[in-house]
Amino acid sequence: MIIYVVTEFDKATEELLSEVQLENPDGTELAQLFNEPLNTFVNSYPIGTKEAEALATRYGLKFDLIKNNYFLDPYSEGA
């Protein structure tokens, strides 16, 4: 099973500010959002405006793309 985590970093200091695991994620939908085939959707992906809007709508997340950098990270559960 794959879990998907959104990480948030301060742009100025690069400090990790938060990590949020997505609830009931749809891996196929997420791979399409990041324009990546599901079978190779295994890296850390920067979240831009388009991705932030989709993730905010689907998962209720809030983003401040001016102050912070965000990434989507898929992990194998138990890895």
Side-chain angles (χ1 to χ4, degrees), residues 28-50:
T28 301
E29 179 182 272
L30 291 169
Q32 288 174 348
L33 177 62
F34 287 87
N35 207 23
E36 184 76 32
L38 182 60
N39 64 334
T40 60
F41 191 56
V42 296
N43 296 311
S44 182
Y45 298 90
I47 296 173
T49 303
K50 174 186 86 162

Side-chain angles (χ1 to χ4, degrees), residues 1-71:
M1 177 176 203
I2 304 295
I3 60 171
Y4 297 92
V5 176
V6 173
T7 53
E8 176 183 13
F9 295 89
D10 184 290
K11 281 187 178 182
T13 65
E14 297 184 4
E15 175 185 358
L16 175 64
L17 300 175
S18 70
E19 293 180 310
V20 176
Q21 183 176 329
L22 299 182
E23 296 286 328
N24 302 312
D26 180 333
T28 301
E29 179 182 272
L30 291 169
Q32 288 174 348
L33 177 62
F34 287 87
N35 207 23
E36 184 76 32
L38 182 60
N39 64 334
T40 60
F41 191 56
V42 296
N43 296 311
S44 182
Y45 298 90
I47 296 173
T49 303
K50 174 186 86 162
E51 296 86 6
E53 288 173 359
L55 293 168
T57 300
R58 173 78 163 82
Y59 299 100
L61 302 175
K62 297 191 185 310
F63 295 90
D64 184 345
L65 296 174
I66 293 171
K67 292 170 110 176
N68 302 317
N69 288 317
Y70 299 85
F71 298 88

